[in-house]
Amino acid sequence: MFEEVALTGSTNADLLLRAAQGAPEGLWLRADAQDGGRGRLGRSWESPKGNLFASTIVRLRDTDPSPAGLAFVTAVAAYDAVRHMAPQVDIRLKWPNDILAHDGSKLCGILLERAADAVVVGIGLNLVWHPHNLDRKVSDLFTLGAAPPDAQTAVEVVAEAFARYLNVWRLSGLGTIVRHWDAHAHPRGTALSAKLPDGEEVNGLYTGLDDDGALRLRLADGSIRAIHAADVFLI
C-alpha cells in the first residue's frame, strides 16, 4: 500500500502518528520532498525533490525476533534494492545500516523509531542529488554513473525487498539476515573507528558480527571487542 505527498516535514513523523491511530503494517508513505528530515542521532537529512524519502510500518508480533534486528533487515533490503536499480554501482554495507559507494561515500540513510508495537522504518536514498560541504563523504546514484528510476519506482523496489527480508527475519531469525549482511559488507580486516555513546573511541579491525548483530573489532592487543551501539567510520 503506497501513499504519496508533495511535501511533509518527515515521513517518519507522519507514520508514527498514523501508527498510533492504527495504520497497518505494510503502509508506505513517500514524500516528493521533506523540510524536516532526520537522520540518526538527531542529524538533519536534506530532502529536495528527486531523491527517495519514504517510511513504512512494521507491527511487532509476539513471535518476532528482537526488534533491534530490523536495522539489519532494512540494510540488506536497501542494499538489494540499490543493486537492482543501479547494478553498475559498486556498493557495500557499513555497520549497522549504511550503504556506501566504493569510495566510502554514503548513499542511503536509515532511521528506525518505535512507538508501542509499531516500528517506523525510514529510508532516504540519494538518487539524483547529494548535499555538499558535510563532515562526511556523500554521493548519489546519478553522480556515480547510474540512471536511477524515479522516486515512486524506487520505493516500489525497496518495498518489495523489505517485505522479502522481513519475512526471512520472521521465519529464520536474525542470524540468516546477519550472514547476508556480512556477505556484502566491508571485508574482514577493514580498519574501523567506533565512537561509543559515552564518547569512548574504539579502533580496530573488522572481524564480523555476533549473531545478535554486534560489531566485532580486533583491537591492537589482539582481543575482540563487541560493539552494540556506536557511530562507525572507515579509517
Side-chain angles (χ1 to χ4, degrees):
M1 182 189 316
F2 298 96
E3 295 185 9
E4 306 167 43
V5 294
L7 174 67
T8 191
S10 160
T11 56
N12 259 38
D14 291 348
L15 282 197
L16 283 168
L17 178 61
R18 296 280 294 278
Q21 297 169 341
E25 176 172 299
L27 170 64
W28 282 85
L29 176 65
R30 183 186 67 80
D32 287 338
Q34 298 180 132
D35 57 13
R38 308 188 310 281
R40 290 182 65 244
L41 304 176
R43 297 189 182 100
S44 64
W45 184 270
E46 293 190 54
S47 311
K49 188 172 182 179
N51 287 343
L52 173 63
F53 320 106
S55 300
T56 191
I57 297 172
V58 175
R59 290 286 181 185
L60 298 174
R61 305 172 183 175
D62 292 341
T63 55
D64 281 346
S66 169
L70 289 171
F72 295 94
V73 172
T74 311
V76 296
Y79 176 92
D80 272 17
V82 173
R83 291 290 297 155
H84 178 83
M85 292 184 282
Q88 70 273 52
V89 176
D90 182 16
I91 59 172
R92 61 191 172 200
L93 291 166
K94 179 175 73 69
W95 191 88
N97 53 23
D98 283 342
I99 297 179
L100 305 182
H102 66 280
D103 64 352
S105 56
K106 185 172 178 175
L107 297 171
C108 182
I110 292 170
L111 178 65
L112 281 71
E113 298 179 284
R114 181 174 176 179
D117 73 336
V119 176
V120 172
V121 178
I123 298 175
L125 174 61
N126 294 337
L127 298 173
V128 297
W129 180 91
H130 67 272
H132 298 81
N133 301 317
L134 298 181
D135 60 355
R136 58 196 183 280
K137 295 172 67 174
V138 294
S139 192
D140 62 79
L141 297 182
F142 180 77
T143 296
L144 293 170
D150 61 82
Q152 183 56 35
T153 301
V155 74
E156 292 168 6
V157 174
V158 170
E160 187 280 328
F162 185 78
R164 180 160 32 94
Y165 283 107
L166 182 66
N167 190 53
V168 170
W169 175 72
R170 282 179 164 150
L171 293 178
S172 302
L174 181 59
T176 300
I177 297 293
V178 163
R179 287 189 290 275
H180 187 86
W181 187 100
D182 186 50
H184 300 296
H186 33 66
R188 279 168 166 72
T190 298
L192 301 175
S193 177
K195 186 174 182 180
L196 278 56
D198 64 2
E200 181 185 3
E201 188 170 317
V202 179
N203 296 329
L205 303 180
Y206 175 67
T207 62
L209 304 181
D210 284 344
D211 286 343
D212 64 357
L215 175 68
R216 291 169 55 84
L217 294 180
R218 184 178 300 279
L219 307 186
D221 64 3
S223 64
I224 300 296
R225 176 82 175 266
I227 306 294
H228 295 272
D231 251 358
V232 174
F233 305 91
L234 298 172
I235 300 177

